[in-house]
Amino acid sequence: DTGVSQNPRHKITKRGQNVTFRCDPISEHNRLYWYRQTLGQGPEFLTYFQNEAQLEKSRLLSDRFSAERPKGSFSTLEIQRTEQGDSAMYLCASSLLEGGEAEAFFGQGTRLTVV
Amino acid sequence: AQSVAQPEDQVNVAEGNPLTVKCTYSVSGNPYLFWYVQYPNRGLQFLLKYITGDNLVKGSYGFEAEFNKSQTSFHLKKPSALVSDSALYFCAVRGRNTDKLIFGTGTRLQVFP
């Protein structure tokens, strides 16, 4: 499968615990995006990388959230001290071309449930 | 600020009839516009995009969309709906000076046999 891969697919965690998600983009894609989707809403932008550089972060990305993309390949999204409000689907996407005309290809997401 | 509106939470259509899913946007300058579809337990799938040129854009699975600059709209259409088209559809916009894709809240399309 050469699409965007996200792991794990599901994560249940207790409030206050830390969680980390991984995204493997399509090979050679230089842009990688993280989005969050809650029930009944469209995906909300969190952050994006060009190669290993994090170029933009949303106000939604509080100081408990951190994302990395070492070596410009896979990316990780960590949430520290999880809260119930963090429960959502976390989506990763990648694109190849520079500039806004390139479509983004999405993974199946990681569903986080904080209990 | 960029924004996208999908005024209908749900659209119901009989199989074989034409369908339209509405989308309006707000962005400074000329936009890039996209439609994605989301099936249950699957990721967002790209359908089509408008970059420039012909206002009628054709995409996957027989879908097309019409860009109307004066009305700031980008409605998704299909001449003849299939039951298998039933899914959640998202419109998205990206301004020319950003790589941030802004999504609408989605429209659930239900095609009845």
Side-chain angles (χ1 to χ4, degrees), chain B:
Chain B
Q2 300 175 132
S3 66
V4 176
Q6 293 183 243
E8 303 153 317
D9 289 337
Q10 181 154 329
V11 169
N12 298 318
V13 65
E15 187 175 31
N17 283 1
L19 69 88
T20 299
V21 182
K22 296 179 181 177
C23 170
T24 59
Y25 65 90
S26 174
V27 67
S28 56
N30 295 319
Y32 297 117
L33 295 158
F34 304 81
W35 275 101
Y36 284 83
V37 60
Q38 189 172 39
Y39 295 98
N41 299 317
R42 299 184 60 181
L44 287 162
Q45 295 179 31
F46 168 75
L47 274 181
L48 51 79
K49 64 183 177 184
Y50 172 80
I51 303 303
T52 188
D54 194 349
N55 289 343
L56 186 64
V57 177
K58 294 188 183 297
S60 306
Y61 312 121
F63 283 93
E64 57 190 28
E66 186 168 11
F67 171 63
N68 187 317
K69 187 173 183 177
S70 63
Q71 297 185 4
T72 61
S73 67
F74 189 56
H75 300 333
L76 181 70
K77 300 180 180 184
K78 187 173 183 181
S80 179
L82 299 172
V83 173
S84 57
D85 292 330
S86 299
L88 192 54
Y89 290 81
F90 290 97
C91 180
V93 65
R94 179 188 283 149
R96 304 240 163 184
N97 296 320
T98 177
D99 281 297
K100 185 167 61 179
L101 197 61
I102 303 299
F103 285 85
T105 52
T107 298
R108 184 165 299 282
L109 173 66
Q110 190 71 49
V111 182
F112 295 95

Side-chain angles (χ1 to χ4, degrees), chain A residues 45-62:
Chain A
F45 172 81
L46 292 179
T47 188
Y48 90 93
F49 294 83
Q50 178 168 317
N51 300 314
E52 67 274 12
Q54 188 173 17
L55 296 187
E56 188 172 348
K57 293 170 61 174
S58 165
R59 292 191 306 267
L60 294 173
L61 216 64
S62 75

Side-chain angles (χ1 to χ4, degrees), chain A residues 12-28:
Chain A
I12 300 175
T13 190
K14 292 183 178 180
R15 189 175 55 181
Q17 297 295 305
N18 299 342
V19 294
T20 300
F21 309 141
R22 176 178 171 126
C23 172
D24 288 273
I26 294 172
S27 181
E28 306 301 325

